Amino acid sequence: MAIMWSRIHVELGLSPTPLTLDMLTQAVSQRVRENEDLDWKLDLAWKNKDLPAEVKAKKKAEFAKDVAAMANTRGGLIVFGVRDENEEAADLTGLSNDERTRQSLRVLIWHHVRPLVDGVLIEAINGEDGEPGLIAVFVPPSPDAPHLVGDKNEVGVPYRYGTDTNWMSEGQLERAYRDRFSRRADDRAALSTLMDGLVPEIDLEKGIWVAVAARPVAPLPLLSGRPERDQATATMKNALQLASEMFGQPQGRVPMLDMIASDAVNNPRNGLRRWVIRSNHYPADPHELVDWALVELHHDGSVALAIGMVRALTGVELPGDDAAVWHVWVAIVDAVITEAVALVSAHVRGLGGVGTILTRAALLRDETSGRAPLVAIDNRASGGMQSSFFSRVPGSRALREPVAVETEFSADAEVATLRGVARQLADDLDQQFGMRCSSIPE
């Protein structure tokens, strides 16, 4: 995953976009100053063969200290291959930035920093015409702060203060740990708020809804203004492509977000610090609820969506004659979970975010009409092909109290990892019906 947001973007007035050599060249020509979240480094000082071993070890520890300090503050960018004068970028000198060199930086972080900092990106920045390369180390603000640095019994907790790296006092450390535990409680409370916010907007009387709420546990970069409307549209389209790559078996997936009218996707509506896409795009009746699809893309990287079974089951002859049950087409559950994970990843990446995303999925029903049990149905025939006949999933049981499920994943995860995340969430929902597993491929 490319570095999408940094102090360089801020100084150059850019929106989230991959960091390039041209951008860093402009930063040097403008003599951009070091900051709490930007540090220029001439080279990998410990690579100097003339230095004594103890000096090399100290230089390595200083790099780990800088990484931990940025993670403990508000994140930042360390760029190797730039000479500075009085903390201002002066000259782009370049250095070797092959995979072996970058891996040595990862090893230093793994060896010296505890707990590990999630979401650190170490990128080779190269030009086209033999220009000298650079190494950019992006450190996100960490929800797991405070991070310690050191070996054995010699450890400390650094933080950034302006361009300086200092050590936390006992009082600062106590506050940092208190903040960590408070953040974790706040994250789960925020998920509940996202999920609860969907309920008044959707028509639960029409059947079961698959709902997903997600939130980055590390704050996103402070952008200059909110994400634009066309960015929300691009996120939706990128998510559909990513979901197709994740599922990998087109005959087994029932795409749901793709069924939302293009007018709604291309023209998201304003909400409270969010873009809103709903299946009934412009309801004339002020009392009209969302009929089958609601997507909220929040400016802080959070996502909330709810997809109703009614859209997929309209016109379907349902099995049995018991009207006092809710039918749950498990293929829709699996498809919505896959698309939701893809949407969350695409949204956070598009805003320049990295690090852990906390995600919750649930089956929502009308709790005021007798709390009817849920019955799993499907139309898959042998070989995974879909049939026109629906039946109760063999060996499944009725579900009376559906339980919300949670997981975490990284914003920069590869397709295979995202597929595993979606499968875990879908398995956790489907297995509440007594099923073995979901239809999402391994």
Side-chain angles (χ1 to χ4, degrees):
M1 180 178 175
I3 298 171
M4 299 292 291
W5 185 257
S6 66
R7 169 59 57 178
I8 302 300
H9 293 75
V10 175
E11 296 293 337
L12 300 181
L14 301 174
S15 58
T17 187
L19 184 67
T20 64
L21 182 61
D22 181 62
M23 292 162 59
L24 288 166
T25 301
Q26 291 182 54
V28 171
S29 66
Q30 294 180 22
R31 298 186 70 87
V32 170
R33 292 185 62 86
E34 291 183 334
N35 204 302
E36 184 176 75
D37 54 359
L38 177 63
D39 199 354
W40 302 117
K41 301 284 188 183
L42 179 62
D43 54 21
L44 308 180
W46 58 89
K47 295 283 188 179
N48 188 336
K49 297 180 180 179
D50 297 329
L51 291 178
E54 61 273 16
V55 176
K56 290 183 179 181
K58 183 178 179 180
K59 295 292 185 182
K60 292 178 181 179
E62 287 178 355
F63 166 65
K65 178 183 175 183
D66 288 336
V67 170
M70 286 184 171
N72 287 337
T73 312
R74 62 174 183 175
L77 185 71
I78 303 172
V79 182
F80 290 93
V82 176
R83 182 177 63 85
D84 72 280
E85 293 177 350
N86 298 321
E87 300 181 348
E88 292 183 347
D91 186 30
L92 193 154
T93 58
L95 77 172
S96 173
N97 62 3
D98 57 24
E99 174 57 29
R100 183 175 180 180
T101 300
R102 302 198 307 275
Q103 181 63 18
S104 69
L105 295 178
R106 298 185 188 101
V107 170
L108 287 177
I109 297 172
W110 295 338
H111 182 71
H112 290 282
V113 181
R114 293 291 181 274
L116 294 178
V117 182
D118 182 39
V120 173
L121 302 177
I122 302 179
E123 296 290 325
I125 309 295
N126 293 308
E128 297 180 355
D129 302 320
E131 299 177 21
L134 306 173
I135 296 177
V137 181
F138 175 79
V139 183
S142 176
D144 297 321
H147 294 269
L148 287 70
V149 63
D151 292 309
K152 299 180 180 178
N153 295 325
E154 298 181 3
V155 297
V157 181
Y159 70 99
R160 294 281 286 185
Y161 184 76
T163 59
D164 296 326
T165 298
N166 300 328
W167 297 104
M168 286 189 185
S169 65
E170 183 179 4
Q172 290 172 313
L173 183 57
E174 179 185 2
R175 184 168 59 252
Y177 274 113
R178 187 168 60 246
D179 290 345
R180 178 203 284 184
F181 299 127
S182 176
R183 281 192 300 269
R184 291 180 176 175
D186 291 345
D187 287 335
R188 281 180 165 75
L191 280 186
S192 297
T193 300
L194 288 169
M195 193 75 76
D196 293 345
L198 295 170
V199 174
E201 302 295 328
I202 60 180
D203 191 349
L204 289 170
E205 293 183 359
K206 290 186 175 181
I208 297 299
W209 291 68
V210 185
V212 178
R215 171 184 169 86
V217 298
L220 291 186
L222 295 176
L223 307 181
S224 54
R226 65 180 185 177
E228 297 297 331
R229 175 179 277 107
D230 58 356
Q231 187 172 348
T233 298
T235 294
M236 289 287 288
K237 296 178 178 179
N238 292 338
L240 286 171
Q241 176 60 38
L242 181 56
S244 296
E245 296 174 12
M246 289 165 55
F247 208 93
Q249 298 178 3
Q251 74 275 15
R253 172 170 159 256
V254 183
M256 296 301 296
L257 294 181
D258 200 33
M259 296 181 185
I260 302 176
S262 59
D263 185 50
V265 174
N266 293 330
N267 298 280
R269 303 185 66 177
N270 284 302
L272 177 59
R273 298 177 184 173
R274 73 197 72 177
W275 289 108
V276 180
I277 299 170
R278 47 187 291 165
S279 48
N280 48 342
H281 190 43
Y282 288 112
D285 183 352
H287 301 285
E288 183 178 351
L289 299 174
V290 174
D291 53 359
W292 73 269
L294 174 62
V295 178
E296 296 181 348
L297 301 175
H298 292 244
H299 300 168
D300 67 355
S302 300
V303 172
L305 81 157
I307 303 294
M309 289 283 167
V310 63
R311 174 66 172 83
L313 294 179
T314 298
V316 170
E317 184 176 349
L318 298 173
D321 56 3
D322 187 353
V325 300
W326 292 119
H327 290 97
V328 178
W329 186 2
V330 290
I332 299 300
V333 175
D334 300 346
V336 172
I337 295 299
T338 302
E339 293 178 348
V341 171
L343 181 64
V344 172
S345 179
H347 184 46
V348 174
R349 292 184 191 190
L351 295 177
V354 297
T356 302
I357 301 170
L358 184 61
T359 306
R360 179 180 299 169
L363 299 176
L364 303 182
R365 65 179 173 184
D366 184 2
E367 298 290 342
T368 65
S369 60
R371 301 167 64 85
L374 284 59
V375 174
I377 61 172
D378 204 4
N379 65 339
R380 279 176 291 185
S382 59
M385 300 300 293
Q386 291 184 352
S387 162
S388 58
F389 300 99
F390 281 80
S391 61
R392 187 168 176 174
V393 174
S396 65
R397 62 174 178 268
L399 177 61
R400 289 171 174 77
E401 291 293 337
V403 176
V405 297
E406 291 185 5
T407 192
E408 296 179 354
F409 66 95
S410 178
D412 59 348
E414 300 294 334
V415 170
T417 301
L418 294 176
R419 182 188 303 119
V421 170
R423 182 177 174 84
Q424 178 187 333
L425 285 171
D427 282 354
D428 288 347
L429 289 177
D430 293 349
Q431 287 171 357
Q432 294 182 47
F433 292 95
M435 299 171 55
R436 187 176 66 85
C437 62
S438 68
S439 62
I440 299 175
E442 295 182 358

